[in-house]
Amino acid sequence: MTKSIFLETHNLKNKATGLGTFNYELIKGFSQLEFDDLELTLNVKNPRLLQTEFGEKFIYHKYKNLSRHWIFRTRKKYDLWHSVNQNTKVEPFHVNNYLLTVHDVNFVEEISTDISHKVNQLFIEKLKRATAITYISEFAKKQTHQYFDVPKIPEYLIHNGNPISTILDTSKFISPIPVDKPFLYSIGDFLERKNFLSLVKMMVHITDFNLILSGNNNKAYGKEIENFIKENNLQNRVFLTGKVNDLAKQFYLSKCLAFVFPSIREGFGLPPIEAMSFGKPVFLSNRTSLPEIGGKNAYYWDNFDPEYMKTILINGLNHFNANQNEMKELMKKRAASFDWKIAAAEYLKVYKDILL
């Protein structure tokens, strides 16, 4: 008998974010697989758009903001409800089986360590409701167990895949900012945990190449970075592009000298994998999940003193360039080890473990 599964994927509406990317790529991975004994329902704001891309592979449920409130929750009983994001406020009215995917519990460190705080209580309710838990990294699992009493239920580790499945032709892309000089590149939301300011401070000590940062910088942290750039006369060496589309992102990833990502809180970290797809050296903080993602051939910062960061960067670039062919292949091989089709197949196996 066919089993019904509801995927709470409304964050797909923000595809430019990490959670939006996760939702879309997981759905895309499912679309490449056969699951005749399962009926997958997607919770999405624009069902028609998804149906145009994926056809009758899925059932589409229209997401409404009101569904976050208890009285307006979905009343239909599903055999399994998959909460693909630990922060979602969209929950089932009836619970049969409940799968919780945890990306991180950064909210404990960023909002409140008080376990009675509402954001922590919302997560505790999910843990109590869960039939099983999947984590996107070993770090996410370790962090969850560090702060919460996790029930004795099945737990699974399923790494995310590489968001870049197709290399685009960027030959006709014209960058609105200068790229005539070698440049470092990074991308992400301008949040304090991304630690982009440390890169800008490093650039005070570097004159041989530029830095390009992409992402939503219309936030307080973005303004702080803009002010530092102006105060230190870095306008001709540090450039903020704002949000970019896939074509622009791949252009900068393919042309950069190196990818730099000093994030201090990262449940997984997709951008370094994207950079490795182009055989680029990646420089990461040695914190949270990033060593797990970058592996032994990435370069790591132990702290964020600007001159120290410059030293690690220059030494790493020298090492990479001295072994360029080998290192490029190692980077590409590492990126290829993260595959959304494989991840989707592992989620299907978890569904069946729960239901069958």
Side-chain angles (χ1 to χ4, degrees):
M1 186 174 71
T2 301
K3 299 289 186 177
S4 61
I5 301 170
F6 187 92
L7 283 84
E8 203 303 271
T9 51
H10 88 273
N11 280 114
L12 185 64
K13 63 186 174 69
N14 299 317
K15 193 182 167 187
T17 66
L19 290 175
T21 298
F22 176 87
N23 288 357
Y24 175 76
E25 295 294 345
L26 181 59
I27 291 168
K28 188 177 176 182
F30 284 141
S31 73
Q32 301 172 56
L33 302 171
E34 297 299 324
F35 45 86
D36 295 336
D37 52 345
L38 300 175
E39 179 183 85
L40 304 189
T41 297
L42 308 181
N43 191 33
V44 292
K45 188 172 184 178
N46 193 337
R48 186 173 299 177
L49 188 64
L50 268 289
Q51 192 164 16
T52 299
E53 182 170 2
F54 298 115
E56 303 305 314
K57 191 77 175 182
F58 306 101
I59 296 173
Y60 304 90
H61 179 274
K62 185 172 177 59
Y63 162 74
K64 296 179 181 178
N65 290 340
L66 283 174
S67 63
R68 292 178 296 173
H69 303 285
W70 180 83
I71 195 171
F72 295 110
R73 288 179 178 178
T74 300
R75 300 294 178 114
K76 181 176 177 179
K77 289 184 178 180
Y78 291 89
D79 294 309
L80 172 62
W81 181 287
H82 182 184
S83 184
V84 302
N85 160 20
Q86 73 282 342
N87 294 325
T88 180
K89 294 180 181 177
V90 180
E91 297 289 351
F93 191 88
H94 302 283
V95 179
N96 287 330
N97 294 289
Y98 185 96
L99 175 63
L100 173 62
T101 292
V102 177
H103 299 253
D104 62 66
V105 291
N106 288 336
F107 50 85
V108 179
E109 299 170 1
E110 294 179 346
I111 300 176
S112 176
T113 57
D114 180 359
I115 210 68
S116 64
H117 190 282
K118 65 178 181 180
V119 71
N120 294 327
Q121 285 299 308
L122 283 172
F123 183 68
I124 290 171
E125 288 175 14
K126 292 177 189 293
L127 289 176
K128 290 178 178 178
R129 192 176 293 131
T131 307
I133 304 171
T134 55
Y135 301 94
I136 65 169
S137 64
E138 287 283 4
F139 168 75
K141 180 178 180 180
K142 179 182 177 182
Q143 188 188 36
T144 303
H145 280 264
Q146 177 184 350
Y147 289 113
F148 297 96
D149 291 326
V150 179
K152 296 186 184 304
I153 55 177
E155 296 177 275
Y156 304 84
L157 171 64
I158 303 178
H159 278 148
N160 293 343
N162 182 351
I164 295 182
S165 55
T166 303
I167 302 295
L168 303 176
D169 178 7
T170 62
S171 59
K172 295 181 180 179
F173 177 80
I174 300 175
S175 174
I177 58 176
V179 290
D180 54 332
K181 189 175 181 179
F183 64 91
L184 308 173
Y185 185 60
S186 197
I187 185 171
D189 253 356
F190 278 55
L191 302 170
E192 286 191 24
R193 68 170 174 264
K194 296 299 182 183
N195 200 23
F196 286 155
L197 185 56
S198 70
L199 295 173
V200 182
K201 289 181 177 179
M202 177 182 70
M203 291 303 294
V204 172
H205 306 279
I206 294 175
T207 57
D208 294 338
F209 34 83
N210 295 338
L211 170 66
I212 297 176
L213 300 174
S214 293
N216 179 13
N217 59 332
N218 293 325
K219 299 178 180 180
Y221 188 62
K223 298 303 177 186
E224 184 180 350
I225 289 173
E226 289 179 357
N227 291 337
F228 186 91
I229 291 171
K230 292 176 183 176
E231 290 167 3
N232 292 273
N233 297 314
L234 295 172
Q235 296 94 324
N236 295 323
R237 289 194 285 122
V238 179
F239 302 93
L240 311 183
T241 68
K243 290 182 179 180
V244 292
N245 60 22
D246 287 343
L247 184 66
K249 178 174 70 173
Q250 289 202 22
F251 174 85
Y252 294 123
L253 286 171
S254 65
K255 302 298 182 185
C256 71
L257 186 66
F259 185 79
V260 286
F261 201 69
S263 177
I264 57 175
R265 291 191 186 93
E266 206 69 36
F268 189 78
L270 291 172
I273 298 174
E274 295 177 304
M276 289 189 286
S277 298
F278 293 93
K280 297 297 178 177
V282 293
F283 292 81
L284 314 171
S285 78
N286 69 348
R287 304 192 185 186
T288 63
S289 68
L290 291 175
E292 186 179 343
I293 306 309
K296 63 181 181 180
N297 293 306
Y299 303 98
Y300 296 97
W301 287 301
D302 293 329
N303 67 70
F304 306 108
D305 172 78
E307 293 195 28
Y308 162 79
M309 290 181 71
K310 174 188 173 181
T311 299
I312 294 296
L313 178 72
I314 299 302
N315 289 346
L317 287 173
N318 289 339
H319 173 265
F320 188 90
N321 292 330
N323 305 276
Q324 194 169 89
N325 291 337
E326 178 188 3
M327 292 301 293
K328 281 185 175 180
E329 288 308 307
L330 286 171
M331 292 294 102
K332 291 179 180 180
K333 185 177 179 181
R334 181 69 179 175
S337 71
F338 299 96
D339 188 307
W340 278 111
K341 187 176 180 180
I342 293 173
E346 291 179 357
Y347 278 103
L348 288 179
K349 185 178 182 302
V350 172
Y351 295 166
K352 292 178 180 180
D353 285 349
I354 294 171
L355 295 171
L356 304 178

